[in-house]
Amino acid sequence: MVLHQFYLNCLAHASYLVGDERTGVAAVIDPQRDVDQYLAFAEARGLRIAHVVLTHLHADFVAGHLELRDRAGATIYLGAAASAEYAFTPLADGDRIALGRVRLQAIETPGHTPESISIAVYDLDRSATEPHAVLTGDTLFVGDVGRPDLRAALGWSAADLGARLYESLWTKLLALPDASLVYPAHGAGSLCGKALSKDTVSTIGNERRSNYALQPMSKSAFVDLVTADQPDAPPYFTYDAVLNSKERPTLDEALARELNPMTLELVLALQRTGGQILDTRDPVEFASAHLAGSINIGLGGQYATWAGTVLDRERPIVIIADPGREQESAMRLGRIGFDHIVGFLQDGLRSLEARPDLTATTERVSAPLAAERLAAGEAIVVDVRAAREREQKHIAGSVHVPLNHLADRMEELPRDRPILLHCAGGYRSSIAASLLKRRGFPHVGEIAGGIAAWEAAQQPLVSG
């Protein structure tokens, strides 16, 4: 048996290839949209990807099931409760996919979504009755369970799905042997739950003992627990969930249409008519020089998640990137279904060398200097971190506007006073600064290094 986990850090997403070396048949479960790694892995081991399974219609990324269908000839499988535009084989409780002496068996586990399934993996050379592992999708994570509130926009109440999740966990997954390995679709950093562990594998027994949501409780208490204090879902989540049920262009087709070099004049013309200029360089480089009015979301962080949070899905995007990273910038947007890129600035920021009038900078001040300005009333400090981060520690006197709410709350901020933004380390504050400057705020800067630098400089912090 081959069971390999692929982990995509920027989306905290785990996908899996399961195969039988003797028959050469393999299946991929919950693939990301760029599928080259699965094809290369299979080829290196003499495997053919004949099957692709989605444990549910994912909300936080666009899956690569159509790509594997078209490139490998794989049959697509969804839970029996799913509906989709493309042809798929439905999987109900007990339905099997035979790979040889390796067997996949479906377990219907609705709750995170109505159509969610888990996949029990049997190595028949070890046991035909006890699964070696279970691929739990977003039903059960290491340290958490899937949130049941992401289908509200599609007519499903969190209370209803929470009740289904309770039954799926207690009557289906916790009925498996304690030794069964648990392989979820996400780890820490995912917004599909609120307390996911950094670990990407566990066992049913470990989760039974340590997972806060699997402790003995009534169904109503469970529903209350798992519907409370969930992180805000980015606006693209419902879009992606629907897109995963659609027949759509493949990633290769989208990139072939998008990767067009554009002159500075064309970029400026698009900007004037409402186009979004996305600068994907490092925040420090962006602060030093950038095209005025551009938005900075660096490739070094949770790029796709923040792009899906702050960019408009209906307006065209032009990419500014370090030369050679244009395709990566577009491909990673494609992972969340943002296929409305029209091109990239040819030669990157070098195109601006003859046009210094178009270049802007962002002031980045040290923590001690920021503290002096704050104490003297010369600046307002704005914390763009999430509420949970701020509860742990924050700068006294700072204003809290989480980055994912900044667009709706900009008018709460003064335009007649300098604003110093900060986050944990500088990634999100750069996004925030670019958004404010784009909206015409005249005096916007950042605390270099964020709260980590503030703490390192032994500046005072408060908790609570």
Side-chain angles (χ1 to χ4, degrees):
M1 182 179 71
V2 176
L3 198 171
H4 186 80
Q5 181 186 71
F6 300 82
Y7 199 81
L8 181 62
N9 282 300
C10 65
L11 290 174
H13 165 221
S15 53
Y16 301 89
L17 183 146
V18 183
D20 185 316
E21 288 184 326
R22 281 171 291 194
T23 62
V25 178
V28 176
I29 295 86
D30 292 332
Q32 61 196 64
R33 195 178 179 193
D34 44 315
V35 298
D36 287 351
Q37 62 181 339
Y38 310 114
L39 296 168
F41 182 93
E43 182 179 9
R45 287 154 183 79
L47 298 170
R48 177 178 64 88
I49 299 174
H51 315 279
V52 55
V53 183
L54 299 191
T55 57
H56 61 291
L57 298 172
H58 295 271
D60 56 317
F61 68 96
V62 175
H65 49 300
L66 301 186
E67 283 76 7
L68 287 175
R69 178 198 66 185
D70 291 355
R71 293 182 61 181
T75 298
I76 298 172
Y77 300 79
L78 302 175
S83 60
E85 290 182 351
Y86 46 82
F88 69 91
T89 300
L91 291 175
D93 264 329
D95 286 347
R96 299 176 176 182
I97 302 172
L99 307 179
R101 295 295 294 167
V102 178
R103 184 177 78 216
L104 307 182
Q105 187 162 317
I107 308 169
E108 290 188 274
T109 50
H112 176 66
T113 71
E115 78 286 349
S116 288
I117 57 174
S118 299
I119 301 295
V121 180
Y122 290 84
D123 181 348
L124 300 181
D125 288 338
R126 298 182 183 181
S127 173
T129 57
E130 296 194 353
H132 169 71
V134 57
L135 311 181
T136 54
D138 287 17
T139 300
L140 174 62
F141 300 123
V142 181
D144 203 356
V145 296
R147 60 191 294 181
D149 62 328
L150 294 181
R151 289 295 186 270
L154 301 177
W156 292 89
S157 76
D160 180 23
L161 288 178
R164 295 185 182 206
L165 182 61
Y166 180 89
E167 295 295 335
S168 294
L169 292 165
W170 262 265
T171 66
K172 301 284 188 70
L173 294 183
L174 289 180
L176 297 174
D178 277 359
S180 299
L181 295 172
V182 171
Y183 285 106
H186 291 294
S190 169
L191 296 173
C192 292
K194 58 184 176 182
L196 283 73
S197 170
K198 293 181 181 179
D199 295 332
T200 60
V201 61
S202 183
T203 65
I204 291 292
N206 285 340
E207 293 310 298
R208 190 194 311 278
R209 289 186 294 272
S210 62
N211 191 312
Y212 78 96
L214 299 185
Q215 303 314 300
M217 69 186 80
S218 67
K219 183 185 295 185
S220 62
F222 173 84
V223 172
D224 289 343
L225 182 66
V226 299
T227 55
D229 301 321
Q230 290 288 358
D232 293 333
Y236 70 91
F237 268 31
T238 298
Y239 171 75
D240 278 13
V242 173
L243 189 58
N244 275 319
S245 71
K246 301 290 187 182
E247 183 70 46
R248 51 153 179 83
T250 65
L251 181 60
D252 286 345
E253 290 168 342
L255 292 177
R257 183 182 68 243
E258 295 167 359
L259 289 171
N260 307 302
M262 298 176 66
T263 64
L264 179 59
E265 290 70 25
L266 278 175
V267 172
L268 293 173
L270 192 77
Q271 188 180 37
R272 286 192 294 269
T273 57
Q276 302 170 102
I277 313 303
L278 173 61
D279 191 320
T280 68
R281 296 175 301 138
D282 181 87
V284 175
E285 296 177 1
F286 181 84
S288 298
H290 57 266
L291 175 63
S294 57
I295 300 168
N296 178 229
I297 309 175
L299 291 174
Q302 289 187 305
Y303 166 74
T305 298
W306 284 115
T309 299
V310 305
L311 297 180
D312 189 330
R313 204 172 55 246
E314 304 301 324
R315 292 162 54 206
I317 296 171
V318 175
I319 288 170
I320 297 177
D322 287 322
R325 302 197 74 180
E326 299 88 358
Q327 178 159 348
E328 178 189 356
S329 300
M331 179 270 291
R332 289 173 62 180
L333 289 184
R335 287 175 177 163
I336 62 165
F338 272 49
D339 291 349
H340 51 293
I341 299 161
V342 294
F344 62 90
L345 177 60
Q346 191 170 17
D347 297 324
L349 210 67
R350 288 201 297 267
S351 299
L352 294 175
E353 289 176 354
R355 293 294 307 274
D357 56 307
L358 300 174
T359 303
T361 61
T362 304
E363 183 184 24
R364 304 179 82 246
V365 304
S366 68
L369 180 55
E372 289 179 14
R373 292 186 183 179
L374 177 63
E378 297 174 356
I380 177 174
V381 172
V382 178
D383 181 349
V384 299
R385 297 173 302 152
R388 289 183 184 179
E389 295 173 277
R390 183 173 173 84
E391 288 169 3
Q392 294 174 359
K393 53 191 173 185
H394 64 269
I395 298 171
S398 61
V399 175
H400 186 220
V401 183
L403 176 56
N404 58 321
H405 293 294
L406 181 62
D408 298 326
R409 295 180 56 188
M410 280 188 187
E411 298 314 310
E412 298 176 20
L413 301 177
R415 291 177 179 265
D416 58 351
R417 292 180 63 193
I419 294 172
L420 289 177
L421 299 149
H422 84 84
C423 59
Y427 182 81
R428 287 170 289 177
S429 63
S430 183
I431 300 173
S434 66
L435 292 173
L436 288 178
K437 293 176 70 175
R438 187 168 176 261
R439 286 279 289 271
F441 281 76
H443 308 294
V444 179
E446 298 176 66
I447 300 176
I451 203 152
W454 185 276
E455 194 167 19
Q458 299 183 329
Q459 297 298 325
L461 289 167
V462 295
S463 59

